[in-house]
Amino acid sequence: MKGAVIVEEVPSTGYPAVDDWVARAPNFTGDVVDRTDTDTATVTVGAPDTNNPFVFTPPVLKIASGTTVEWQWAGSGPHTVTFEDHDIGTDGVVSTSGVQFTQTFAESGTYRYRCDPHETLGMRGAIIVE
């Protein structure tokens, strides 16, 4: 019997609260997708282009205040978008493909969210509003 323990440093976005929140997300690499130059940005829910359907893609998104974010379901099962410290999110589990939730972010700050059914699998994301 053999085993190995591999210890890696958590990737860093430069935003410690974000890093702590998304550290277990399977597709988190430390990258922040910058969409501060657009009025609308999209997050794919249950991305079919990965080996793991329990992810938000991108896991970390930076936008300007006033930007609308659309969460688009990829049809990979039931998911939610539930914000950690804000009273916004889907009203329940959604399974239908397409844009199922939108939110316009007026105030700057960090917005952390999760999929309730799959949070234990690391299905978390964050929006950084500047």
Side-chain angles (χ1 to χ4, degrees):
M1 183 180 293
K2 294 181 180 183
V5 176
I6 300 171
V7 179
E8 295 180 348
E9 192 171 315
V10 175
S12 176
T13 61
Y15 299 88
V18 169
D19 297 342
D20 290 344
W21 179 252
V22 296
R24 290 184 29 236
N27 61 338
F28 176 58
T29 61
D31 294 330
V32 176
V33 173
D34 188 338
R35 296 289 186 263
T36 55
D37 60 344
T38 63
D39 294 332
T40 305
T42 301
V43 173
T44 303
V45 180
D49 58 335
T50 69
N51 291 329
N52 189 334
F54 306 113
V55 295
F56 293 106
T57 302
V60 182
L61 177 67
K62 181 167 59 170
I63 60 172
S65 61
T67 300
T68 299
V69 177
E70 301 177 336
W71 280 264
Q72 182 169 351
W73 269 244
S76 62
H79 300 291
T80 67
V81 175
T82 305
F83 283 80
E84 186 68 7
D85 299 318
H86 303 279
D87 191 22
I88 51 178
T90 54
D91 291 330
V93 176
V94 179
S95 299
T96 309
S97 296
V99 174
Q100 299 299 330
F101 176 66
T102 61
Q103 177 66 37
T104 301
F105 292 88
E107 295 184 28
S108 62
T110 301
Y111 296 80
R112 300 174 301 156
Y113 62 93
R114 67 186 179 276
C115 171
D116 287 330
H118 304 114
E119 182 181 12
T120 59
L121 299 174
M123 194 167 180
R124 292 180 170 192
I127 305 291
I128 300 164
V129 183
E130 296 187 339

